[in-house]
Every structure is written in structure tokens, then in C-alpha cells.
Amino acid sequence: MLSRVVLSAAATAAPSLKNAAFLGPGVLQATRTFHTGQPHLVPVPPLPEYGGKVRYGLIPEEFFQFLYPKTGPYVLGTGLILYALSKEIYVISAETFTALSVLGVMVYGIKKYGPFVADFADKLNEQKLAQLEEAKQASIQHIQNAIDTEKSQQALVQKRHYLFDVQRNNIAMALEVTYRERLYRVYKEVKNRLDYHISVQNMMRRKEQEHMINWVEKHVVQSISTQQEKETIAKCIADLKLLAKKAQAQPVM
Amino acid sequence: MNENLFASFIAPTILGLPAAVLIILLPPLLIPTSKYLINNRLITTQQWLIKLTSKQMMTMHNTKGRTWSLMLVSLIIFIATTNLLGLLPYSFTPTTQLSMNLAMAIPLWAGAVIMGFRSKIKNALAHFLPQGTPTPLIPMLVIIETISLLIQPMALAVRLTANITAGHLLMHLIGSATLAMSTINLPSTPIIFTILILLTILEIAVALIQAYVFTLLVSLYLHDNT
């Protein structure tokens, strides 16, 4: 409330601030602080697990304990009931029998199915707790798995240098192979060129040889005169005749 | 005898002030709420029962019909608890009063019907003529269907009143018969008493069933009109 007074005072003091009055309520709500004091009952006190003990489902045990030093509670009860009946304070009417039957059926039902319903309710609560427990366990398991994975990853990192060595060796081998390949190619190329030159030389030599032979033959043939040719042919014929005679004699044997 | 027979149906007054309001306000006190997840057995069983009935009842409705789920679930819980509490001796059952049942039935039925007429007027009017009627019968059938529609709230209220009142009356009568028998011929009293016990069991069933029937019919009218 003081802040409201401050705001109105500011509005009257500076008329330009009057437009700020529209923001007044919002500002007020923003400046009003909540939850500043210490919270009561922190942590919230737990509920008692079992209710108070009762006898006959109606009368709490404390009542009996209260009466025991003074008078017996059963005697008191019996006395009261008999007094009410005899003085007709409680009239036995049709309603009495209805009451008897209804209460009888109720007591019978409670005694017979009471534990069953109680167990059922307990089971329902246990199911709820089990669900939450399951969620908690699943979360813990998940985190544990994450921790184990992290540990194994860290262990792997220690052995990473093997991988790097292998990779380094691989690369070195690959480089070596490439180098040797290229060397071989260079060698082949060079050999090719040199072979070419050699074959060119060989060819030139052969050509020269052939040329010389041809020239020598031509001149020899040219130098053979006609007379010499006739003499040579006659001698050859005479030789052949001699040979023929020799040859004929042989096969008779 | 006559005065005593209907004495339990007089609206109770305390010094001239109606106590019926207090009696009607009693059942909610027996259904505690809780802000904890794990509760005591009473709250756990009640919550489980309410969950069961609400799921069972509201599955057949569409989204618009399900906006009525709070109304219908509180209706069935109110009628069931009031009927069951009325079985206790010397208690007053509000649902025996026709005025209260009419006050419950007419607004719910009228709400459902008016909702149907506002949103889908053709569907709502189509209920007046069942499918496949021969043509000459149509005028008469429309009149009959209209009457059947207009009588629904009356039927709802009177059904509930009559059932509960009849049950209570019967219990009272047989109780007084047992009382009379106990002076005339005491050994034959157990027979009548057995009948009374069987009747009590029937009454418990009737109490629950009537609640169910009431709510089911309202939900049916709702389903027709959403």
C-alpha cells in the first residue's frame, strides 16, 4: 500500500509520470513479494501409518482406558442399554428389527470381506510405489550403463595408439609402393627410348651391309665376261658327266 | 401404525428449520480428498471405485459428452451414498422425496435435450421418428415419440422415488410384522426375520442399482444429443 502512495505522490509531483499510473497495478503486483517467510512444516510431517485403535469398530480404545479406573465400561454400557429399554426411552418398534437386520448384514459383510478389501487397497498402493520404484531403478540402470560405456570408451582411448601405428604403417607402405611403381615406369620409359636408339643403329648397320653386298655382287656380276662364263659352264658339264658315271656304278652293289 | 409407517419420509426439521439440507450435505463428508499419492485404505478404495465407474461410464461419449463427466460421476456417487445411508436405522433418505428427484432429473434432462436441439437440430428432431416406419403411421408415431420424450424426466424422478420409497416401506412393514409375530408366535419369528434379511440385501442392491440406472439414463440422453 505504501508503494501505491509513492506512485500517486510521484504522479502529482511530475505530471509527465501520470501515464505511468496505468502501469501502476501491474507494477504493484510485480513488486508485491510472495513466499518470503520461512515455510511452516518443512519437511511435511509424515502421516501416521495406522489409525487409532477402536473396539467394536465404533468406540475408541482411549474411552475404555479412560473409564477403567472409575467403572467397568461394559457394565456401564449394559446398564445404559437396560435403562433405556426399561424406561422406554428407546422403544422397540418395527424399526428395531430393520436396524437389527441392516446392522447384521453390514457386520457380516465387513467381517467376511474386510480383509479382502484391505489387501486390495494395499495392493493398489503397492502397485503405485512399485511403478515409481521401477522408474527410479530404470533411471539408475540407465546412468550405470552410461558410466560403463564411458569407462570402456576411456579404456579404448588408451589403446588408440595401436590404431595410429597401423595406420602409419599402412600409409608408409602405400607411399613405398607408389614410389616403386613410378621408379619402374621411369625405368621402362628410359629403356624404351634407349632401345629405340639401338634399333635405329642396328637398322642403319644392316642397311649399310645390304647396300655394300648388293654393290659388291653387282660389280662381280658385271666383271664376269662372256668367255669366262662359257668355259665355266663346259667344265661344270664335264664334271657332272664324270659324277654320273660314278654314280651309276654304285647301286649294283 | 399409519403415522409410524410414513414417519420416516417426513422431511426432518430441527425446531422448525429444515435439516434436510444438512442431511443432503452429509455424504460428501464421507468421501475424503487427499493430496498424497499413497493414501489410507478408505481413500484408495474410493478412488479406485470412482476411477472404475467414471471410465466405464464415459467411454461411450465423444469429446462434447465427456464435458459432463464430472456431473455424471458426482451424480452417481451422490445417489449411491444417499441411498445406502438411508438404509441405516432411523435415518432419512433425501431421494425418497419426489421434489428432490424432480430437481435432479428435470435440469439434467432438459440440459441434454436443449444442448441437442441447439447444436444438431436435425439429429435431435430425427429421434422423433424411428427408422423404417410405414408412411400411414407417421403422424401417430411422431405424437407418441414426442410424448415419450417429454415423459423422460418424469420417469427418471418417479422411478427413483418409487423404488427407494417402496423398499423402505417394505422393510418397515416386514419389521413391524416381525414385531407383531414376536408377541403372537415367537418360534415363527426367525422365518420373517430371514425374509427381512433377504430384503435388506435386496435393498442394498437396489440402492446401488437405482443410482446406476439414473446416471446411465442421463448419460444415454446425453449421448443421443451430442
Side-chain angles (χ1 to χ4, degrees):
Chain A
M1 202 182 88
L2 280 176
S3 39
R4 243 179 283 161
V5 169
V6 165
L7 271 174
S8 64
T12 48
S16 61
L17 282 176
K18 258 224 182 99
N19 298 329
F22 286 114
L23 300 168
V27 168
L28 193 63
Q29 297 305 323
T31 51
R32 205 199 292 264
T33 47
F34 298 105
H35 295 291
T36 43
Q38 287 298 93
H40 305 288
L41 299 177
V42 165
V44 176
L47 293 173
E49 190 159 348
Y50 294 106
K53 294 200 82 47
V54 282
R55 260 198 233 190
Y56 302 114
L58 276 177
I59 310 165
E61 187 68 33
E62 283 84 1
F63 188 70
F64 286 80
Q65 299 305 325
F66 173 71
L67 280 178
Y68 266 131
K70 301 175 178 54
T71 163
Y74 288 111
V75 171
L76 180 67
T78 321
L80 280 174
I81 291 174
L82 284 176
Y83 169 68
L85 280 174
S86 67
K87 287 271 216 170
E88 293 266 316
I89 296 174
Y90 176 72
V91 180
I92 294 200
S93 65
E95 199 78 31
T96 316
F97 289 96
T98 327
L100 272 178
S101 70
V102 165
L103 291 175
V105 169
M106 259 176 54
V107 167
Y108 171 74
I110 289 176
K111 281 255 174 329
K112 185 139 184 245
Y113 298 109
F116 172 72
V117 172
D119 287 338
F120 185 71
D122 286 340
K123 204 156 56 107
L124 284 175
N125 279 344
E126 259 167 52
Q127 273 175 354
K128 278 191 204 169
L129 281 174
Q131 261 185 335
L132 296 174
E133 190 69 32
E134 178 70 37
K136 188 175 91 165
Q137 287 302 324
S139 180
I140 289 178
Q141 197 61 36
H142 183 69
I143 293 175
Q144 193 67 35
N145 287 350
I147 290 176
D148 290 339
T149 318
E150 184 64 30
K151 283 223 168 75
S152 66
Q153 295 286 7
Q154 280 178 346
L156 281 176
V157 165
Q158 295 307 318
K159 306 199 178 68
R160 230 177 19 174
H161 66 279
Y162 286 131
L163 186 68
F164 294 157
D165 282 343
V166 165
Q167 280 180 333
R168 232 177 274 138
N169 285 345
N170 275 354
I171 289 173
M173 266 199 287
L175 282 172
E176 187 75 25
V177 162
T178 325
Y179 171 68
R180 298 235 173 123
E181 241 181 77
R182 285 199 188 155
L183 205 59
Y184 179 65
R185 223 171 38 179
V186 163
Y187 164 75
K188 262 196 2 183
E189 285 287 313
V190 167
K191 187 152 158 322
N192 223 6
R193 306 275 162 85
L194 292 177
D195 282 344
Y196 169 74
H197 284 299
I198 291 174
S199 56
V200 159
Q201 277 182 353
N202 287 349
M203 193 198 67
M204 287 301 289
R205 206 173 217 217
R206 215 178 44 230
K207 278 278 182 244
E208 284 167 6
Q209 271 185 347
E210 282 178 6
H211 186 261
M212 278 201 314
I213 292 171
N214 287 344
W215 186 83
V216 165
E217 276 183 5
K218 198 167 79 174
H219 278 90
V220 164
V221 165
Q222 275 179 351
S223 72
I224 297 178
S225 64
T226 331
Q227 182 65 20
Q228 272 178 326
E229 211 175 330
K230 276 188 193 160
E231 281 178 15
T232 322
I233 288 174
K235 192 163 187 295
C236 287
I237 291 173
D239 278 333
L240 276 169
K241 277 186 186 161
L242 254 160
L243 273 169
K245 276 185 197 154
K246 256 201 213 161
Q248 267 180 345
Q250 297 244 326
V252 176
M253 280 178 21
Chain B
M1 172 61 184
N2 266 342
E3 198 269 359
N4 267 336
L5 187 56
F6 293 104
S8 59
F9 300 120
I10 304 175
T13 57
I14 299 178
L15 301 175
L17 296 168
V21 180
L22 291 171
I23 295 175
I24 292 177
L25 288 177
L26 175 66
L29 292 175
L30 302 172
I31 305 176
T33 52
S34 149
K35 59 180 189 288
Y36 298 100
L37 179 65
I38 308 291
N39 307 308
N40 55 6
R41 289 169 178 166
L42 178 69
I43 298 180
T44 315
T45 40
Q46 279 174 350
Q47 280 179 352
W48 173 78
L49 267 173
I50 292 174
K51 205 159 93 163
L52 190 73
T53 43
S54 62
K55 271 209 177 130
Q56 175 75 10
M57 255 196 328
M58 305 313 292
T59 40
M60 72 161 171
H61 291 118
N62 55 6
T63 312
K64 191 154 179 230
R66 282 193 194 154
T67 53
W68 281 52
S69 50
L70 180 63
M71 180 76 227
L72 292 175
V73 168
S74 48
L75 189 68
I76 187 172
I77 288 173
F78 172 68
I79 300 180
T81 44
T82 328
N83 289 351
L84 283 173
L85 280 174
L87 287 173
L88 294 172
Y90 300 107
S91 58
F92 168 70
T93 325
T95 39
T96 53
Q97 311 296 309
L98 183 62
S99 51
M100 192 185 104
N101 293 348
L102 276 173
M104 281 199 299
I106 291 187
L108 288 170
W109 167 85
V113 165
I114 291 177
M115 207 166 78
F117 270 101
R118 275 183 59 171
S119 52
K120 297 196 277 186
I121 187 162
K122 219 192 298 184
N123 278 17
L125 282 176
H127 280 124
F128 284 135
L129 193 62
Q131 271 184 338
T133 57
T135 326
L137 280 175
I138 288 183
M140 201 177 64
L141 212 54
V142 168
I143 295 177
I144 291 179
E145 287 287 327
T146 316
I147 296 178
S148 128
L149 179 75
L150 292 174
I151 216 172
Q152 275 173 354
M154 292 294 152
L156 270 177
V158 172
R159 183 188 302 112
L160 187 57
T161 319
N163 268 304
I164 306 295
T165 318
H168 282 235
L169 269 178
L170 213 50
M171 294 237 287
H172 209 278
L173 279 172
I174 298 197
S176 66
T178 350
L179 183 63
M181 269 309 204
S182 64
T183 51
I184 297 172
N185 181 11
L186 189 57
S188 60
T189 321
I191 304 174
I192 318 262
F193 202 63
T194 321
I195 298 180
L196 191 54
I197 295 198
L198 291 174
L199 203 61
T200 315
I201 299 175
L202 178 66
E203 279 312 304
I204 296 175
V206 165
L208 296 170
I209 288 170
Q210 284 306 313
Y212 174 65
V213 164
F214 196 96
T215 318
L216 192 68
L217 283 172
V218 171
S219 111
L220 221 62
Y221 300 150
L222 185 66
H223 185 70
D224 283 343
N225 288 316
T226 46

